[in-house]
Amino acid sequence: MSSLQTLSSRISRLNLLQKPSLSYSAMSPGLFVRHNRQIIRPTWSPLRIISLPNRHFSSKNFGQIKMSAKDDLIVLGIETSCDDTAAAVVRGNGEILSQVVSSQADLLAKYGGVAPKMAEEAHSLAIDPVVQEALHKANLTERDLSAVAVTIGPGLSLCLRVGVQKARKIAGQFNLPIVSVHHMEAHALVARLIEQDLQFPFLALLISGGHNLLVLAHNLGQYTQLGTTIDDAIGEAFDKTAKWLGLDMRRSGGPAVEKLALEGDAESVKFSTPMKQHKDCNFSYAGLKTQVRLAIESKNIDSRIPISSTSCQDRKSRANIAASFQRVAVLHLEERCERAIEWALRIEPSIKHLVVSGGVASNKYVRARLDRVVKNNSLLLVCPPPSLCTDNGVMVAWTGIEHFCVGRFDPPPPADDPEDFMYDLRPRWPLGEEFAEGRSEARSLRKARIHPSLTSIIQASMQQQSP
């Protein structure tokens, strides 16, 4: 029996520093029994493909998948946008047939963050066994799939390429349609998999290492961006704080800071809340990072000394900084969410939910504070479980299912792409159109090489398909 077959369902870490030994985690294996239902595959017929910048959307000639048939869809989702190699198999009714994640935790600890070239190499080593394990845990083969969904952006180009190549290879060899997925939309939509009552429209706060995004979700693929970061995201601030405090980065900086903060006094260090003078929904964490670094220097804390080796007094100083940083970092989220709820209700008065997703949404302090915000505004908070907040294949597969059911997918690619094939990768890809009141002059300076937003592409496609 191979090492793949003897993996336990407990999350394990992929030690990428020792290349001959590959391991990865398989989550939720065998939770769902496979049903003997007909596999839904599209019948390919002549159709009009809408040509848009570097992208194709299928025309409405395919029509929409009937709800009775949706349950029988089986989609493989592949995610490689940053530092986790993930794959999952999900049924159209929301059953998670398998979920596998290969972590680059040791690389994160070694480099203090994501090193794109090393991350690409790690993805290349992990992608084949991760996908095969996802299929094995689902008790399926590629021939049982209805489609393949894959993240094409935003993210690191080198990393995105690994997932897209794998997805196209499977889709081409087994004549499967392929759905290109927006990473941030996937974080938002996975909440609809776990919360049956979550209908459009809703408000979403998407928070991770590279993103801070407040969006109003009007419908599938139609979003208004209320706010985003003008510099660093909250996850980046957590990671840097953890590194400067000498914390264990193998689980990423967020969990390490959250754990240490429990030992500290959150009022002991007086950090300033970012952007108090700006009455919008945008975020900034660069200044708070500077405040943290200066506080650490003032306490003569040496980040080269791990916290496990420090004195009681030094540990207390580090814990106080961690707690004070976390309080202010989350306070910034609270203030922006309060204003975003006000704006969103003005645009879509029927909103009932705030979705909080992305890696930082796993933080219990974040969830507790934002739960107070939504309750004060008579809304409901929806947070996916931690395993679906961090990057994962389930969210990609589910987003693929949602778009597939309304006819947004590409026909099978060739069995083998030519060596000079230009893959459609979108490292900088906005999710929605900016809300006029939320536009930031600082942000507007960073427009180079940005693709048209997902929303604008879908709107253009729908207009071209109209009679």
Side-chain angles (χ1 to χ4, degrees):
M1 185 177 294
S2 69
S3 60
L4 297 184
Q5 294 172 315
T6 57
L7 280 176
S8 71
S9 61
R10 179 174 51 84
I11 296 177
S12 60
R13 295 294 179 184
L14 172 61
N15 185 350
L16 292 165
L17 302 182
Q18 299 176 0
K19 295 179 185 176
S21 176
L22 290 178
S23 61
Y24 45 88
S25 64
M27 294 183 287
S28 305
L31 289 181
F32 300 98
V33 178
R34 183 183 173 195
H35 300 295
N36 293 320
R37 295 176 178 172
Q38 178 185 3
I39 303 300
I40 297 300
R41 299 283 292 275
T43 300
W44 301 112
S45 58
L47 61 125
R48 177 170 56 92
I49 298 294
I50 304 303
S51 297
L52 293 168
N54 297 320
R55 187 80 199 106
H56 293 101
F57 281 98
S58 58
S59 86
K60 64 180 181 181
N61 290 351
F62 267 119
Q64 296 191 6
I65 304 297
K66 294 181 180 179
M67 291 308 295
S68 59
K70 179 181 176 182
D71 288 358
D72 295 320
L73 291 173
I74 298 177
V75 174
L76 169 67
I78 297 175
E79 159 64 33
T80 61
S81 65
C82 190
D83 58 342
D84 285 327
T85 311
V89 180
V90 178
R91 195 182 288 278
N93 62 4
E95 289 182 332
I96 301 172
L97 302 180
S98 67
Q99 182 181 1
V100 181
V101 179
S102 166
S103 170
Q104 298 180 14
D106 291 327
L107 286 179
L108 291 174
K110 180 179 179 180
Y111 294 102
V114 180
K117 189 61 181 174
M118 297 301 295
E120 177 199 22
E121 182 179 352
H123 284 305
S124 297
L125 289 170
I127 190 67
D128 286 344
V130 163
V131 169
Q132 281 308 120
E133 179 68 4
L135 292 169
H136 172 72
K137 292 294 182 183
N139 194 28
L140 299 171
T141 70
E142 291 89 345
R143 298 186 187 281
D144 297 313
L145 299 173
S146 306
V148 180
V150 61
T151 301
I152 68 167
L156 301 173
S157 292
L158 293 174
C159 298
L160 290 166
R161 184 182 305 276
V162 176
V164 170
Q165 285 178 328
K166 180 64 176 178
R168 287 181 63 86
K169 182 178 180 181
I170 294 173
Q173 289 180 349
F174 294 92
N175 197 39
L176 297 168
I178 191 166
V179 187
S180 297
V181 170
H182 191 294
H183 181 77
M184 300 312 294
E185 183 183 37
H187 272 304
L189 293 185
V190 73
R192 282 167 51 85
L193 182 151
I194 56 103
E195 179 54 63
Q196 297 290 322
D197 294 332
L198 180 59
Q199 302 294 324
F200 295 105
F202 61 85
L203 182 63
L205 171 67
L206 308 176
I207 42 179
S208 63
H211 301 276
N212 257 79
L213 198 59
L214 271 165
V215 294
L216 175 55
H218 303 280
N219 209 330
L220 180 65
Q222 298 181 31
Y223 305 91
T224 296
Q225 177 182 296
L226 302 180
T228 187
T229 181
I230 64 171
D231 43 56
D232 296 327
I234 186 172
E236 157 71 10
F238 267 99
D239 285 344
K240 280 294 190 291
T241 298
K243 181 180 179 181
W244 294 335
L245 290 174
L247 306 185
D248 186 349
M249 295 286 289
R250 284 177 295 180
R251 291 182 58 218
S252 80
V257 172
E258 179 185 8
K259 182 178 179 181
L260 182 61
L262 296 173
E263 304 175 26
D265 178 0
E267 302 288 344
S268 60
V269 184
K270 303 302 180 183
F271 294 131
S272 300
T273 307
M275 299 183 72
K276 290 286 287 187
Q277 72 278 19
H278 294 276
K279 305 304 179 183
D280 56 33
C281 295
N282 292 310
F283 303 89
S284 171
Y285 283 96
L288 181 57
K289 280 169 52 181
T290 300
Q291 293 182 67
V292 170
R293 180 175 54 81
L294 293 174
I296 289 172
E297 291 176 356
S298 71
K299 297 291 185 180
N300 296 316
I301 293 172
D302 188 347
S303 63
R304 294 171 298 180
I305 302 175
I307 192 165
S308 57
S309 304
T310 61
S311 65
C312 290
Q313 182 59 42
D314 188 58
R315 185 183 182 91
K316 186 63 176 178
S317 295
R318 298 189 195 203
N320 286 341
I321 291 173
S324 300
F325 157 75
Q326 180 174 253
R327 180 184 67 82
V328 174
V330 177
L331 180 60
H332 189 30
L333 293 181
E334 294 175 58
E335 293 179 349
R336 269 27 201 173
C337 283
E338 287 275 8
R339 185 171 291 111
I341 291 171
E342 177 187 335
W343 288 4
L345 288 172
R346 200 166 71 211
I347 302 167
E348 294 274 13
S350 63
I351 286 175
K352 296 182 175 62
H353 298 89
L354 170 66
V355 170
V356 181
S357 190
V360 180
S362 301
N363 184 301
K364 293 179 182 178
Y365 181 78
V366 169
R367 292 182 181 224
R369 297 297 302 181
L370 293 180
D371 190 48
R372 294 180 55 179
V373 171
V374 298
K375 285 180 178 176
N376 289 341
N377 288 275
S378 301
L379 298 179
L380 297 173
L381 182 69
V382 179
C383 291
S387 66
L388 298 183
C389 282
T390 52
D391 292 352
N392 63 87
V394 171
M395 70 181 195
V396 177
W398 179 252
T399 301
I401 289 169
E402 293 230 34
H403 281 285
F404 187 90
C405 287
V406 296
R408 295 179 192 144
F409 54 86
D410 285 333
D416 292 299
D417 287 322
E419 291 186 6
D420 60 348
F421 184 78
M422 295 293 292
Y423 294 100
D424 183 10
L425 308 175
R426 303 184 175 188
R428 298 185 67 191
W429 189 17
L431 179 56
E433 295 297 285
E434 280 188 284
F435 184 50
E437 292 184 38
R439 190 168 289 117
S440 166
E441 292 302 320
R443 181 72 181 177
S444 67
L445 298 177
R446 303 175 60 188
K447 295 292 185 183
R449 294 182 295 173
I450 293 183
H451 280 87
S453 72
L454 173 68
T455 297
S456 66
I457 292 173
I458 288 179
Q459 287 176 342
S461 174
M462 294 171 65
Q463 289 171 2
Q464 290 188 33
Q465 292 174 18
S466 299

